[in-house]
């Protein structure tokens, strides 16, 4: 390299300058290479079913129901075997899903109360939008139905009713089932936003929720009406009248909504068998929609960078304890399916069946973490996938609360759920339940007045007070 004739000092200065320039050039090149190699933010699809109990999936051990597409997602992702909701009613649970907070903190306790503008801004879709995501919502929003945040979303296709109609007329005058309508809207969203950067789509099916009425009914897609017709539906252990009769007088009344709805749908083996078949048929319809979604992601070449999360908004009694519905603290009511499928994970991490306690309040922080977005301090949930790497579970118990309406229609209940015991307190009446869920998984024997469990009862009472305070 030719250099001009200079003195020694000038030469040293020149060399130092060239060296510094070389270092700066090297750093700039590395920065550009690093930027080019940085993976694109993942697309996220959150799928929610309505009244979907944890064991109504083939992968959960149900040998009757047909859910091959959801089972496949679970086999390639993570199935959380102990997933729960912190309040088993749709409006509150959906607010917890969006905000990552207990009802005690987000204060949405009914079907009419919307998020305040400041609270809405801290829900996972709006936080992802702020981070550059396109966001969409399809189906049943379910929070403050009269004040929906449709203008905040890039794509919005939600009913203004608190519950969608199962069948609506299309432009050609044909009746279209809600599950098919939702599936069609998913296809429209993906077609529109596939090439517009990262997206987060929240999809809320009405299925398998009953159609409210007197009596309630199940409206099934015509192609599934004969499915399961030749299958024998077994009676659950706690469908025996003994268990309904064991409830205290304030609970054991015909004014109890769960008992009212039980009568026309589950009060005989024949009624129960057909109700369960219809419930399963609606879930199989959702599974079909999930299969179509996965196929479209492949066709659009989005399948390798799109995370799919599937969950139920609360569980559902199908005759257990002489009840229909949700609300109370039994496993049938509060335990739900939860699958997280991330195609970016190495194959040796797929097919994991986690036994850690997962909650609906964990959905928002988990989604934000997957997108690389900071989790707000006010969120009370955890990053589920991040915590799978820990040798110890992130939580050993959680606070349960349900205070909508109250006695006699829906007696208010709060409590603590642990990995081996459950404590529930009907707060209007001071009535306590204590179940050993390891040795009594069907919750047949209330141990609250058993002298052998006095110490355990006292410990869970104290823990209940601590968790109740922390939930606020």
């Amino acid at each position: 390299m030719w250099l001009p004739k200079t003195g020694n000092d000038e030469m040293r200065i020149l060399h130092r300058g060239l060296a510094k320039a070389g270092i700066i050039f090297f750093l700039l090149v590395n920065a550009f290479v690093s930027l080019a190699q940085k993976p694109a933010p993942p697309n996220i699809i959150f799928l929610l079913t309505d009244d979907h109990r944890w064991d109504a999936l083939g992968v959960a051990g149900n040998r009757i129901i047909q859910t091959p597409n959801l089972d496949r997602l679970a086999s390639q992702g993570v199935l959380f075997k102990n997933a729960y909701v912190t309040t088993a009613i749709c409006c509150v649970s959906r607010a917890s899903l969006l905000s990552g907070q207990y009802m005690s903190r987000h204060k949405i306790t009914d079907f009419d109360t919307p998020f305040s503008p400041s609270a809405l801004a801290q829900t996972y879709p709006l936080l992802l939008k702020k981070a550059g995501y396109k966001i969409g919502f399809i189906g049943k929003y379910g929070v403050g139905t009269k004040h929906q945040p449709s203008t905040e979303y890039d794509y919005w296709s939600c009913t203004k009713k608190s519950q969608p109609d199962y069948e609506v007329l299309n432009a050609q005058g044909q009746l279209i089932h809600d599950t098919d309508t939702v599936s069609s809207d998913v296809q429209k969203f993906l077609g529109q936003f596939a090439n517009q950067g990262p997206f987060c789509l929240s999809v809320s099916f009405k299925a398998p929720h009953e159609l409210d009425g007197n009596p309630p009914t199940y409206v099934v897609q015509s192609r599934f009406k004969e499915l399961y017709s030749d299958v024998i539906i077994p009676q659950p252990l706690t469908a025996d009248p003994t268990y309904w009769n064991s409830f205290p007088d304030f609970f054991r009344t015909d004014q109890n909504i769960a008992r009212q709805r039980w009568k026309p749908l589950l009060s005989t083996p024949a009624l129960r068998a057909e109700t369960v078949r219809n419930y399963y048929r609606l879930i199989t319809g959702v599974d079909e929609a999930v299969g179509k979604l996965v196929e479209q992601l492949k066709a659009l070449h989005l399948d390798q960078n799109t995370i799919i999360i599937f969950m139920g908004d609360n569980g559902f009694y199908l005759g257990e304890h002489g009840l229909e519905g949700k609300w109370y603290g039994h496993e049938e009511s509060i335990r739900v399916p939860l699958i997280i499928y991330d195609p970016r994970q190495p194959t040796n991490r797929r097919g994991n069946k986690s036994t850690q306690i997962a909650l609906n309040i964990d959905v928002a922080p988990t989604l934000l973490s997957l997108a690389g977005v900071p989790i707000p301090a006010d969120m009370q949930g955890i990053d589920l996938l991040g915590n799978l790497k820990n040798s110890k579970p992130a939580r050993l118990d959680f606070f349960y609360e349900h205070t909508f309406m109250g006695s006699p229609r829906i007696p208010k209940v709060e409590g603590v759920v642990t990995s081996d015991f459950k404590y529930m307190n009907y707060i209007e009446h001071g009535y306590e339940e204590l179940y050993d869920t390891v040795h009594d998984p069907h919750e047949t024997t209330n141990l609250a007045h058993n002298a052998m469990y006095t110490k355990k009862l006292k410990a869970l009472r104290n823990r209940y007070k601590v968790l109740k305070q922390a939930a606020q």
Side-chain angles (χ1 to χ4, degrees), residues 133-311:
Y133 274 69
K134 298 293 185 181
I135 60 172
F137 210 110
I138 295 170
K140 173 184 171 182
Y141 186 68
V143 180
T145 307
K146 297 177 182 178
H147 305 279
Q148 295 182 344
S150 56
T151 58
E152 300 288 344
Y153 284 75
D154 300 294
Y155 186 95
W156 183 268
S157 182
C158 297
T159 179
K160 293 184 178 179
K161 297 182 178 181
S162 60
Q163 278 290 352
D165 295 321
Y166 255 124
E167 293 181 323
V168 295
L169 290 172
N170 66 5
Q172 290 74 40
Q174 301 169 314
L175 281 176
I176 306 298
H177 194 275
D178 180 72
T179 300
D180 295 329
T181 300
V182 169
S183 181
S184 177
D185 283 337
V186 169
Q187 294 173 37
K188 292 176 184 176
F189 175 89
L190 292 178
Q192 182 176 342
F193 292 96
N195 299 311
Q196 294 192 30
F199 62 77
C200 176
L201 174 62
S202 301
V203 182
S204 179
F205 295 92
K206 178 183 176 73
H209 195 291
E210 65 199 3
L211 179 65
D212 291 337
N214 190 18
T217 56
Y218 284 86
V219 182
V220 175
Q221 293 148 290
S222 58
R223 58 189 176 276
F224 295 122
K225 284 185 177 178
E226 298 304 316
L227 187 63
Y228 309 121
S229 292
D230 58 349
V231 175
I232 295 174
I233 305 296
Q235 284 283 97
L237 170 67
T238 53
D240 187 288
T242 300
Y243 298 100
W244 166 253
N245 291 328
S246 68
F247 285 118
D249 291 344
F250 73 84
F251 192 95
R252 195 181 67 256
T253 168
D254 288 343
Q255 292 178 284
N256 188 321
I257 293 179
R259 187 61 171 180
Q260 282 184 340
R261 296 185 179 183
W262 169 87
K263 287 185 178 181
L265 295 173
L266 299 160
S267 55
T268 70
L271 282 171
R272 182 180 184 277
E274 191 57 21
T275 293
V276 173
R277 290 187 184 107
N278 284 330
Y279 182 81
Y280 287 176
R281 288 162 180 154
L282 286 168
I283 293 171
T284 296
V286 170
D287 184 80
E288 178 190 69
V290 173
K292 291 179 179 179
L293 161 64
V294 172
E295 287 303 312
Q296 188 177 8
L297 290 174
K298 291 178 181 177
L300 294 170
H301 305 292
L302 297 173
D303 54 307
Q304 294 304 307
N305 196 41
T306 301
I307 298 165
I308 301 175
I309 301 93
F310 177 88
M311 194 177 196

Side-chain angles (χ1 to χ4, degrees), residues 367-428:
L367 296 187
L368 294 176
S369 179
L370 286 167
V373 176
I375 300 169
D378 278 350
M379 285 192 176
Q380 295 166 295
I382 62 173
D383 169 16
L384 288 171
L385 293 186
N387 277 278
L388 285 179
K389 302 171 186 177
N390 299 334
S391 58
K392 294 183 179 180
R395 63 168 63 90
L396 300 176
D397 54 19
F398 70 94
F399 174 61
Y400 180 75
E401 54 184 338
H402 191 294
T403 59
F404 177 72
M405 195 172 288
S407 294
R409 305 286 280 154
I410 306 176
K412 298 180 181 182
V413 61
E414 296 177 344
V416 178
V417 181
T418 79
S419 59
D420 52 1
F421 275 87
K422 183 182 294 181
Y423 168 79
M424 289 291 152
N425 177 17
Y426 289 86
I427 58 176
E428 299 163 293

Side-chain angles (χ1 to χ4, degrees), residues 70-119:
L70 288 166
D71 296 347
R72 192 173 300 112
L73 285 180
S75 71
Q76 298 172 356
V78 181
L79 172 68
F80 290 87
K81 299 175 67 176
N82 293 308
Y84 294 89
V85 296
T86 51
T87 307
I89 188 171
C90 62
C91 54
V92 178
S93 183
R94 288 161 192 268
S96 293
L97 287 163
L98 288 162
S99 68
Q101 297 176 343
Y102 280 98
M103 179 185 75
S104 290
R105 180 166 294 183
H106 64 61
K107 304 295 185 185
I108 294 176
T109 61
D110 57 32
F111 292 87
D112 297 324
T113 305
F115 284 113
S116 68
S118 59

